[in-house]
Amino acid sequence: MSKIAIIGDGFSALFTALELAKKGEEILVISNQKDEFESGILTPFNTPALARDGAISSSFLGLVSKKSELDIALCLNENFRAWMANFTLKSTKAHDKKMRVLFKKFGQKSFEILRELSEKYPQIKFDESGVYLIFSEDESFKKRLDEMKVADSEQEILSVDSELANFGLINKNIKGALNLSKNASIDAAELKKALVSELNELGVQFINDEIYELKTQGQTVQKAVGSAGEYEADSFVVASRNLELSSKLGTNLSAILAKFYTIDLVLSEGQIPKKPIILNDMFAKIYPTKNGVTIITNLQVGAIDTLVKTEKINAFLNELKRHLGISELKEPSFRANFVLLSSNDKPAIGRDETYQNLLYNQAYGLNELSFAPHFAGVLADLIKESKSNEQSDEILLFSSLYEG
């Protein structure tokens, strides 16, 4: 039995802890236990890469129109400039085509794990009935239809009139709608409770501390240093939204913090959508909750402050109101959130090049639940069987450490 310290308490951390604990390892999960937002919308199927042909031009046009999938807040930070340069190089049709195949391949494997977990914990509500994709512009809807294959069973064209009641609060200025039938949703809060329950049963130890440094000797990490103590282990897994631990060791993960807002609305039962909604032309997602919805805005890179900027929220809500069948938004609450976003659509997974007992499982963006359940097992095998990154085809295929 070896001792493994996992830094973080998001889904990449918890699933990694679960896979290693099931293999009989002694696990410490160390985190500051912040209440970070976790998206319950899983879209690995029929979803384009963030870095794709036209992504840069649309982002810079978004500086004027305020409508783009990726907002760019120009800054002079060296890491930001390097991220933008690499993102620009990856924004091609070939990269998008490759990533769609990989998203589907590894999304299927994560869904198998979530499906099995939902049999034991039905309260996680793993729902594979699909996700609505709604268009507010004729041009974008026509473009999507032109890209679809004939009789595409994974993308169902919907009659807006027939489905309108199922869209809940979104019921105006809709030019077209699809059901992305292979995608899914899950109750992220209940899933987290279920994973913690599993880990407690397996004897995993949880420590509330914020790790700010990894102490090394030669090519080995010896300790994780936190505000409340130091923690020794045989292996260390960084599975958080913290870039400082790797950067202090001189490792560049080709990732950057991206900011987004969540807006919680209280709604009547008839205003709550039957499934999650992606608003294609607003680059936003709507997740149904028990008492309303959580709206997830587009991502902003280069914005590192934690402030909720009301002018951005108000501009977004004013645009959203064009599609709403309600005149007033009751009890809205706002929150600024961050994710680690790689420049090439791939998470940072695998061993550090220099410190071989240090591994990464981070930078999934908003797609953590689509891929982390599967790659937690890949990482666990790497540790348990003392494999190198090069001995794992899946890491070579899907890790940003091998993308450049």
Side-chain angles (χ1 to χ4, degrees), residues 213-216 221-225 230-233 236:
E213 184 183 7
L214 297 173
K215 282 190 175 179
T216 64
V221 174
Q222 289 193 318
K223 297 177 181 179
V225 182
E230 298 184 353
Y231 311 93
E232 295 183 351
F236 297 83

Side-chain angles (χ1 to χ4, degrees), residues 185-376:
S185 62
I186 199 166
D187 188 322
E190 288 296 331
L191 175 60
K192 197 162 193 177
K193 291 178 186 176
L195 289 172
V196 171
S197 175
E198 287 280 297
L199 293 171
N200 284 328
E201 287 180 15
L202 290 166
V204 170
Q205 183 180 357
F206 288 87
I207 297 173
N208 184 1
D209 199 356
E210 182 158 10
I211 302 300
Y212 60 84
E213 184 183 7
L214 297 173
K215 282 190 175 179
T216 64
Q217 183 172 357
Q219 295 184 333
T220 302
V221 174
Q222 289 193 318
K223 297 177 181 179
V225 182
S227 303
E230 298 184 353
Y231 311 93
E232 295 183 351
D234 299 300
S235 295
F236 297 83
V237 180
V238 179
S240 67
R241 296 171 187 178
N242 185 335
L243 273 178
E244 292 183 7
L245 296 176
S246 57
S247 62
K248 284 180 180 180
L249 297 177
T251 298
N252 181 5
L253 298 181
S254 297
I256 195 170
L257 278 173
K259 182 179 180 179
F260 65 99
Y261 294 109
T262 49
I263 305 167
D264 292 313
L265 300 178
V266 176
L267 300 171
S268 65
E269 185 177 351
Q271 296 167 341
I272 301 173
K274 301 303 181 188
K275 297 179 187 179
I277 292 174
I278 299 173
L279 296 174
N280 185 79
D281 302 306
M282 285 191 66
F283 308 101
K285 298 177 181 179
I286 300 176
Y287 181 76
T289 62
K290 183 178 180 181
N291 299 313
V293 295
T294 296
I295 302 171
I296 306 165
T297 68
N298 64 339
L299 295 168
Q300 304 170 35
V301 296
I304 57 175
D305 62 275
T306 58
L307 299 175
V308 174
K309 297 191 174 179
T310 54
E311 67 272 17
K312 280 191 172 289
I313 296 288
N314 289 335
F316 176 86
L317 290 177
N318 285 335
E319 178 68 19
L320 182 67
K321 285 176 182 177
R322 294 179 53 242
H323 309 291
L324 301 183
I326 51 178
S327 57
E328 184 181 356
L329 301 176
K330 295 180 180 179
E331 302 179 45
S333 60
F334 318 120
R335 174 176 165 177
N337 309 271
F338 292 90
V339 290
L340 271 185
L341 193 67
S342 78
S343 59
N344 48 48
D345 291 285
K346 297 181 177 181
I349 317 165
R351 293 187 186 275
D352 187 272
E353 187 175 341
T354 302
Y355 304 98
Q356 287 297 294
N357 70 329
L358 171 62
L359 301 94
Y360 302 103
N361 192 11
Q362 53 186 156
Y364 287 91
L366 285 171
N367 297 316
E368 193 162 349
L369 267 177
S370 293
F371 307 117
H374 170 65
F375 278 97

Side-chain angles (χ1 to χ4, degrees), residues 61-255:
L61 285 172
L63 294 174
V64 178
S65 68
K66 307 301 181 187
K67 290 170 66 176
S68 65
E69 187 170 6
L70 191 68
D71 263 358
I72 297 173
L74 299 176
C75 71
L76 300 177
N77 179 281
E78 184 178 343
N79 190 39
F80 170 80
R81 295 201 306 270
W83 188 95
M84 279 299 303
N86 199 38
F87 181 79
T88 303
L89 289 173
K90 292 298 176 186
S91 295
T92 64
K93 289 181 180 178
H95 175 76
D96 181 32
K97 184 177 181 180
K98 174 184 174 183
M99 292 312 302
R100 288 179 190 240
V101 173
L102 292 176
F103 289 164
K104 181 175 181 178
K105 176 183 177 69
F106 296 123
Q108 286 173 334
K109 294 186 176 186
S110 283
F111 276 26
E112 289 170 9
I113 294 167
L114 293 171
R115 201 175 294 129
E116 183 179 345
L117 199 59
S118 70
E119 291 177 3
K120 183 175 181 180
Y121 297 98
Q123 65 269 30
I124 71 176
K125 298 177 184 175
F126 182 51
D127 182 350
E128 296 183 78
S129 63
V131 171
Y132 291 132
L133 180 63
I134 292 179
F135 299 81
S136 56
E137 297 177 6
D138 286 317
E139 184 180 350
S140 59
F141 184 51
K142 183 179 182 300
K143 181 180 178 182
R144 181 71 178 223
L145 294 182
D146 290 342
E147 292 172 351
M148 286 172 57
K149 297 176 182 177
V150 177
D152 188 344
S153 62
E154 297 181 4
Q155 302 184 79
E156 178 189 359
I157 302 172
L158 302 174
S159 164
V160 173
D161 291 339
S162 300
E163 290 287 333
L164 201 58
N166 294 328
F167 297 157
L169 74 167
I170 304 297
N171 59 16
K172 288 184 177 179
N173 297 310
I174 299 174
K175 303 301 182 182
L178 303 175
N179 180 34
L180 303 181
S181 58
K182 289 202 69 177
N183 288 313
S185 62
I186 199 166
D187 188 322
E190 288 296 331
L191 175 60
K192 197 162 193 177
K193 291 178 186 176
L195 289 172
V196 171
S197 175
E198 287 280 297
L199 293 171
N200 284 328
E201 287 180 15
L202 290 166
V204 170
Q205 183 180 357
F206 288 87
I207 297 173
N208 184 1
D209 199 356
E210 182 158 10
I211 302 300
Y212 60 84
E213 184 183 7
L214 297 173
K215 282 190 175 179
T216 64
Q217 183 172 357
Q219 295 184 333
T220 302
V221 174
Q222 289 193 318
K223 297 177 181 179
V225 182
S227 303
E230 298 184 353
Y231 311 93
E232 295 183 351
D234 299 300
S235 295
F236 297 83
V237 180
V238 179
S240 67
R241 296 171 187 178
N242 185 335
L243 273 178
E244 292 183 7
L245 296 176
S246 57
S247 62
K248 284 180 180 180
L249 297 177
T251 298
N252 181 5
L253 298 181
S254 297

Side-chain angles (χ1 to χ4, degrees), residues 34-67:
K34 287 182 180 177
D35 181 25
E36 295 182 325
F37 175 78
E38 307 279 4
S39 174
I41 305 175
L42 289 67
T43 56
F45 302 101
N46 296 296
T47 299
L50 190 60
R52 60 184 185 273
D53 187 44
I56 292 297
S57 59
S58 67
S59 295
F60 279 105
L61 285 172
L63 294 174
V64 178
S65 68
K66 307 301 181 187
K67 290 170 66 176

